[in-house]
Amino acid sequence: MKVLTLDDFDLKGKTVFVRMDMNCPIDPDTLEILGTKRIEEAIETLKSLEDAKVVIASHQGRVGNNDYTGMDKHAKVLEKLMNKKIKYVEDVIGEAAQKAIKELEDGEILLLDNLRLCAEENYEFTPENAANTIMVSRLAKLFDLCVLDSFPSAHRSHPSIVGFPQVLPACAGRIVEREVRNLDQIMTVAKAPHVIVLGGSKVPDRLEAIKLLIQNGRADHVLLTGLIGNVFMRAQARIKSPLGIKREDEVVAKAHTLIGEYPDVFATPVDIAIDKDGQRVEMDVREMGKGDKIFDLGPKTVEYYSKLISGAGTVFISGPAGFFEKEKFSYGTKSLLTAVANSMATTIVSGGHLTTALKQQGLADKIDHISTAGGALVLYLTGEKLPMIKALEEAKERYSTNS
Ligand code: 3PG
């Protein structure tokens, strides 16, 4: 491996900073955690660190969004899963956090509050500048080792990801180790046609990735669902009313340009389902009225997409096709996952929502690679080097030179 792993270090008695990604789906009304998959995944790394003093740091949601919460509920979930006391501090870089870190005993685990409470963690930095942030300057001196295990945020150049490895020995945690090993293997056997099924709501990220995927020969067909699908349908003037999303004019214009540049690549839904007085109502996209909100795909779209999936050499699916948490709108997501599971292609399923849906359907065994990572995995597949992986590779080079 081009990166160091936990097996390269003597961990006993060391104080270890572990960057996890415990960013979970959150119920917008109750603020309860809806799916705990990413917290469950953290356990393997924590078990490897059982003789160390462990400090977990993670973000949750984005500032201003309704999934932006503290990490107190995550601490409770982890405590239950590990059957072990998890210390929690409502602080990230202040005196309370520093005190709690210094007081840790061997074998104890402390979870810091949402990293994005610290303004710096909401910006991208060069690794050198990230090393000079207040977060890294204050905290790094308290640690012996930095473990990067937040593969879903491997595409972010945030201080907690690219800053600490500049000033501390750094290695991959078990999740990152497994992802890098599996994906490297899969990419060597991946063959055309490459079918990408993209849903989800992080539209600007998705648009950037789509362009790179096509340019790098990794997307022969892009089948669009979810909010990104709506953006393309708006660009095609098939949805008449504004979608009411952030930076709408800009993202619709970008989608329009992409359709113009690659007219044969994109497929968008022909029929959809809306919520009318609590009922699922299916209709052709052209029949949609003003104010109708799309909650799922219709059967014609599912049939068309499933055919393309069954003829693929490689299928990558990321992001739910609709509001799958509500049973009556889970049809599109479940049907596409079934088509992916039944195809002869090399299959990759990405993102927390789809991982949960796949598990619910009992289809996980039929998929070649399942990852809770969304945007990071899309970018990995474009062939771009992710900032976290670059940071880990450079940390290995530095470590080998210095030791
Ligand atoms: C994700 O869920 O994709 C990661 O946790 C990254 O979150 P972000 O897109 O808010 O940086």
Side-chain angles (χ1 to χ4, degrees):
M1 293 228 3
K2 289 191 191 149
V3 302
L4 295 167
T5 71
L6 290 163
D7 302 323
D8 293 305
F9 293 90
D10 174 13
L11 302 163
K12 195 167 167 29
K14 300 286 179 348
T15 309
V16 184
F17 174 87
V18 189
R19 177 52 161 106
M20 297 277 186
D21 191 325
M22 294 189 172
N23 185 23
C24 296
I26 300 283
D27 186 310
D29 302 321
T30 63
L31 298 185
E32 290 300 324
I33 296 176
L34 285 174
T36 56
K37 192 84 184 69
R38 286 193 179 166
I39 307 179
E40 290 163 38
E41 283 183 333
I43 293 172
E44 200 183 342
T45 291
L46 296 176
K47 287 208 166 132
S48 297
L49 286 163
E50 62 190 358
D51 298 326
K53 304 172 182 77
V54 176
V55 178
I56 307 172
S58 171
H59 69 282
Q60 169 61 56
R62 291 185 183 176
V63 178
N65 287 1
N66 53 16
D67 60 349
Y68 179 61
T69 67
M71 303 299 292
D72 46 330
K73 295 205 171 74
H74 303 66
K76 293 215 173 76
V77 171
L78 185 61
E79 190 160 279
K80 219 168 167 186
L81 288 168
M82 292 200 71
N83 197 19
K84 171 181 176 143
K85 169 91 193 132
I86 303 295
K87 293 187 162 183
Y88 173 66
V89 59
E90 273 188 10
D91 188 17
V92 180
I93 60 169
E95 271 178 31
Q98 293 185 42
K99 183 167 177 288
I101 296 168
K102 285 180 198 155
E103 283 174 2
L104 276 178
E105 305 273 348
D106 288 359
E108 287 189 332
I109 300 176
L110 168 72
L111 175 62
L112 299 178
D113 210 340
N114 191 338
L115 280 171
R116 291 182 179 172
L117 280 170
C118 183
E120 292 167 334
E121 187 68 5
N122 297 282
Y123 295 93
E124 306 262 327
F125 291 86
T126 62
E128 296 73 25
N129 289 343
N132 289 327
T133 53
I134 298 175
M135 176 190 282
V136 176
S137 337
R138 281 200 189 158
L139 293 189
K141 55 181 184 274
L142 306 177
F143 294 101
D144 302 302
L145 173 68
C146 156
V147 176
L148 297 181
D149 212 20
S150 58
F151 189 72
S153 27
H155 55 320
R156 304 288 180 220
S157 309
H158 295 159
S160 68
I161 295 167
V162 297
F164 288 106
Q166 290 284 313
V167 292
L168 284 171
C171 73
R174 298 297 182 209
I175 299 170
V176 170
E177 182 186 343
R178 188 174 45 247
E179 292 271 4
V180 170
R181 197 169 270 141
N182 285 354
L183 286 167
D184 280 353
Q185 263 169 18
I186 281 184
M187 292 323 286
T188 56
V189 295
K191 54 182 186 301
H194 298 271
V195 172
I196 308 286
V197 191
L198 272 193
S201 55
K202 292 178 182 169
V203 175
D205 285 1
R206 292 283 196 249
L207 285 167
E208 291 305 317
I210 286 173
K211 197 174 168 103
L212 285 169
L213 282 165
I214 300 172
Q215 283 173 345
N216 297 350
R218 301 278 173 84
D220 300 302
H221 299 284
V222 178
L223 319 184
L224 297 162
T225 69
L227 193 54
I228 182 83
N230 299 353
V231 168
F232 275 74
M233 285 192 277
R234 181 106 177 96
Q236 293 165 322
R238 292 171 57 231
I239 292 184
K240 305 279 182 254
S241 319
L243 304 168
I245 59 169
K246 285 182 196 160
R247 296 161 59 188
E248 179 158 342
D249 289 347
E250 182 192 328
V251 292
V252 170
K254 278 194 180 160
H256 192 263
T257 307
L258 279 171
I259 296 169
E261 282 174 350
Y262 307 102
D264 302 330
V265 171
F266 295 102
T268 50
V270 287
D271 59 345
I272 48 88
I274 64 163
D275 188 338
K276 216 163 202 128
D277 305 324
Q279 296 300 313
R280 175 186 172 100
V281 176
E282 291 172 356
M283 62 180 68
D284 194 287
V285 172
R286 285 169 306 191
E287 291 162 8
M288 278 174 65
K290 210 171 170 204
D292 281 345
K293 286 213 168 3
I294 302 174
F295 283 99
D296 198 7
L297 301 175
K300 287 187 208 143
T301 308
V302 165
E303 194 188 334
Y304 173 48
Y305 283 10
S306 299
K307 253 190 207 143
L308 288 168
I309 289 169
S310 70
T314 308
V315 187
F316 170 67
I317 180 166
S318 178
F323 192 8
F324 91 99
E325 293 91 338
K326 291 247 186 292
E327 182 56 30
K328 59 177 174 279
F329 297 118
S330 63
Y331 160 78
T333 301
K334 284 184 176 166
S335 307
L336 294 185
L337 282 176
T338 306
V340 174
N342 290 337
S343 93
M344 301 300 285
T346 300
T347 50
I348 306 171
V349 174
S350 136
H353 289 95
L354 287 190
T355 310
T356 305
L358 202 61
K359 207 168 129 194
Q360 284 168 0
Q361 286 177 263
L363 293 174
D365 289 350
K366 299 177 93 178
I367 304 294
D368 292 305
H369 185 67
I370 301 170
S371 171
T372 58
L377 189 45
V378 182
L379 261 190
Y380 176 91
L381 295 181
T382 66
E384 295 287 300
K385 178 83 69 189
L386 303 179
M388 177 191 286
I389 307 301
K390 191 158 182 268
L392 284 169
E393 287 179 4
E394 288 174 2
K396 179 171 180 174
E397 276 169 32
R398 265 196 300 274
Y399 185 76
S400 316
T401 318
N402 297 339
S403 54

